[in-house]
Amino acid sequence: AGTFATDLAAVKWKVFSRITDASLATYTAAGTGAVERTIEAVLRDSVSVKDFGTVGDGTTNDTVAVQAAFDAAAGGACYFPSGTYLVTTINASANTLFFGDGPSSILKTTSNQYLFSAKNVANIHMRNLKFLGDSGGAAQYAVSLEGVAGGAVTDCTFLNIGGRCVRMAWDGDASVSTERIVVSRNIMENTGDVGVFAKTSVYDCVISNNIIDTVGSAGGTANYGNGITIDDGSSGDSFSAAPSKRIIVANNVIKNIVGTSISRGINISG
């Protein structure tokens, strides 16, 4: 019997070692109540940017590969393994989670534009990622959310962003708002203009438990530096929209605001 069991195990190993179709093999998670699923289904729980050919060396431009991963992950989850992914602007689809391994999963930009952009979509979530700029101009934004309904930016790191780390705003249409966004537990260091920016038609958002350190020194507008700005857009703009309201700002640490003129830890205007 012992010999038969050993031989059977060897035969099973030979059979399964030749399976090349993940839909034919199964996996059952540990724990009471777990159900059997195919390996193919398990692997498709999230999309890795590596599946689409990213290099992640900080030098090769990975924009096309990352955008392909974003598109494939629409409605699910997109994973950034540890690495430095050089990108220009990448656009997010609705109902998607973007996540990494923490500060070792780096989205890097050297462009004076949005790094991560979500516009007129719902339920965008980001966590455990690092956004790295090159202290470029004031238009270098890490995360831009325009007309986004529902989502969160949590446990992320922002470093050397020339303009704004997280921007929440309308999209130019007064009937479209950005709402129900949580920005929490992030670290923002050496930012050019603003750590967290909420401008016009931003409702029911929470900005809490962030550390915002050294604002106004990283290539933004020379005289401008605010940790958090809530602005209704009425000052100096050629358009009109509904003012932002019902925004909770709590338990943030803001220090080293170094702009020479309009410099505040929290700036509420309009």
Side-chain angles (χ1 to χ4, degrees), residues 89-170:
T89 297
I90 44 179
N91 299 290
S93 299
N95 305 310
T96 307
L97 165 67
F98 305 90
F99 69 104
D101 294 325
S104 64
S105 296
I106 302 169
L107 279 75
K108 175 184 175 182
T109 185
T110 57
S111 300
N112 196 24
Q113 56 188 306
Y114 303 158
L115 194 167
F116 179 104
S117 177
K119 187 170 183 178
N120 297 332
V121 295
N123 300 319
I124 298 296
H125 296 263
M126 285 161 278
R127 68 173 185 238
N128 296 325
L129 294 167
K130 181 175 181 178
F131 297 88
L132 176 64
D134 65 345
S135 300
Q140 184 178 85
Y141 298 172
V143 174
S144 177
L145 307 174
E146 298 182 26
V148 174
V153 182
T154 56
D155 301 302
C156 291
T157 300
F158 300 81
L159 180 64
N160 298 337
I161 302 299
R164 294 158 188 178
C165 295
V166 178
R167 170 183 180 266
M168 297 180 286
W170 72 329

Side-chain angles (χ1 to χ4, degrees), residues 230-252:
I230 300 173
D231 186 346
D232 72 354
S234 63
S235 176
D237 289 322
S238 59
F239 55 79
S240 62
S244 298
K245 55 189 176 182
R246 299 188 302 274
I247 298 176
I248 297 173
V249 179
N251 301 320
N252 299 283

